[in-house]
């Protein structure tokens, strides 16, 4: 098993956001973490990578506890976090952003392989990241994560702010990562999009897991679709 989150509790100040989250992601899986706004999806990601450290519970990678470690050590163990929003170095070019992410370790993707997946990055390599579109920023963030040699890729709300055409591109990138057996945990407001590419899904509410199952069963469940606010004909 690659990643295990067990009974994690996390707070922002006195606000008890995660109230016993447990989930698992196995090697080569894509797992979706779904829920309404404020359910605790992003906080779960932040707790895994140590940005919002759990006050109780444990996060393990291959059975070894990583919770309690600083974020940079968790990253060195192969946990790559791709946050939502524009998080590239805006004053640096695309080429410079990519160069900063290159790692010489097992599992790191070579630059050529990354540019095969995202050929547009080669075309805009001298453009400053601060001037990229939302879709180009998402490409750059994913490319940087792959260059770091991730054992597991954490994608937080990757479709946020993207046009429908770019969301389609993102779906193709996720399908390609699945073919490459890259292990992925993805949070999404767009539940049907995420479940289209996931093997399994967890649905959380008020910081705890309410439903869990195979992606196709969650996608086809009227109860789950109603809970997530997805129309019956969507």
């Amino acid at each position: 098993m690659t990643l295990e989150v067990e009974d994690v509790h996390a707070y922002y100040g006195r606000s008890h956001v995660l109230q016993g989250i447990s989930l698992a992601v196995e090697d080569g899986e894509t797992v979706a973490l779904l829920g309404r706004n404020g359910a605790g999806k992003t906080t779960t990601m932040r707790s895994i990578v140590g940005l919002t450290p759990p006050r109780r519970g444990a996060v393990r990678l291959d059975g070894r506890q990583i919770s309690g470690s600083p974020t940079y050590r968790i990253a060195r163990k192969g946990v790559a976090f791709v946050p939502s929003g524009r998080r590239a170095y805006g004053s640096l070019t695309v080429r410079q952003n990519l160069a900063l992410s290159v790692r010489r370790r097992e599992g790191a993707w070579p630059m050529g392989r990354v540019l095969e997946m995202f050929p547009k990055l080669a075309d805009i390599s001298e453009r400053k990241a601060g001037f990229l579109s939302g879709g180009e920023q998402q490409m750059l963030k994913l490319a940087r994560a792959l260059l770091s040699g991730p054992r597991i890729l954490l994608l937080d709300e990757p479709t946020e702010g993207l046009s429908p055409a770019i969301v389609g591109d993102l779906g193709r990138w996720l399908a390609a990562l699945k073919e490459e057996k890259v292990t992925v945990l993805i949070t999404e407001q767009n539940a049907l999009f995420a479940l289209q590419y996931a093997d399994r899904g967890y649905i959380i509410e008020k910081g705890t897991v309410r439903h869990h199952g195979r992606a196709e069963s969650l996608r086809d469940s009227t109860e789950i679709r109603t809970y997530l606010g997805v129309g019956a004909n969507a």
Side-chain angles (χ1 to χ4, degrees):
M1 182 177 294
T2 299
L3 179 73
E4 183 181 11
V5 177
E6 181 180 10
D7 193 30
V8 162
H9 293 251
Y11 294 72
Y12 291 124
R14 298 177 64 182
S15 179
H16 192 179
V17 180
L18 300 185
Q19 303 182 26
I21 285 283
S22 295
L23 59 87
V25 185
E26 298 182 1
D27 277 328
E29 276 194 313
T30 297
V31 173
L33 182 62
L34 308 172
R36 296 168 176 159
N37 280 333
K41 302 185 301 297
T42 293
T43 305
T44 300
M45 295 289 213
R46 289 176 57 86
S47 291
I48 291 170
V49 298
L51 293 171
T52 305
R55 292 195 194 175
R56 287 169 47 195
V59 180
R60 301 185 186 91
L61 191 65
D62 287 343
R64 296 183 178 181
Q65 185 163 319
I66 60 173
S67 46
S69 299
T71 298
Y72 75 91
R73 289 191 182 276
I74 294 172
R76 286 178 181 174
K77 293 181 184 295
V79 182
F81 180 41
V82 181
S84 62
R86 293 174 175 263
R87 299 298 181 95
Y89 297 108
S91 63
L92 301 182
T93 66
V94 168
R95 177 180 54 79
Q96 290 168 329
N97 268 273
L98 293 174
L100 286 173
S101 301
V102 172
R103 298 291 182 272
R104 290 178 174 84
R105 67 182 181 201
E106 184 179 356
W109 286 36
M111 186 70 73
R113 186 180 178 195
V114 168
L115 293 178
E116 283 180 9
M117 178 170 282
F118 306 110
K120 187 174 182 180
L121 291 179
D123 299 334
I124 59 174
S125 63
E126 298 307 316
R127 187 180 302 173
K128 287 190 175 181
F131 294 98
L132 300 183
S133 68
E136 291 165 344
Q137 284 260 349
Q138 195 62 263
M139 272 191 287
L140 179 57
K141 289 191 298 181
L142 283 169
R144 288 176 54 190
L146 293 171
L147 287 167
S148 73
R151 296 177 61 196
I152 181 167
L153 195 58
L154 308 184
L155 304 181
D156 188 29
E157 303 283 1
T159 69
E160 184 179 32
L162 299 185
S163 70
I166 301 301
V167 170
D169 288 338
L170 178 60
R172 287 187 284 275
W173 301 334
L174 286 174
L177 293 175
K178 195 172 182 65
E179 285 291 320
E180 295 279 354
K181 302 296 184 184
V182 176
T183 306
V184 175
L185 176 63
I186 179 174
T187 70
E188 255 303 329
Q189 279 291 307
N190 188 339
L192 291 185
F193 170 83
L195 291 172
Q196 184 178 350
Y197 301 99
D199 298 292
R200 293 185 298 112
Y202 292 85
I203 299 173
I204 64 175
E205 180 184 26
K206 296 181 179 178
T208 191
V209 173
R210 297 299 186 190
H211 302 278
H212 165 240
R214 301 295 301 175
E216 58 269 22
S217 66
L218 295 176
R219 193 168 57 237
D220 295 339
S221 168
T222 301
E223 177 188 359
I224 299 301
R225 290 163 69 93
T226 300
Y227 172 78
L228 291 171
V230 178
N233 296 318

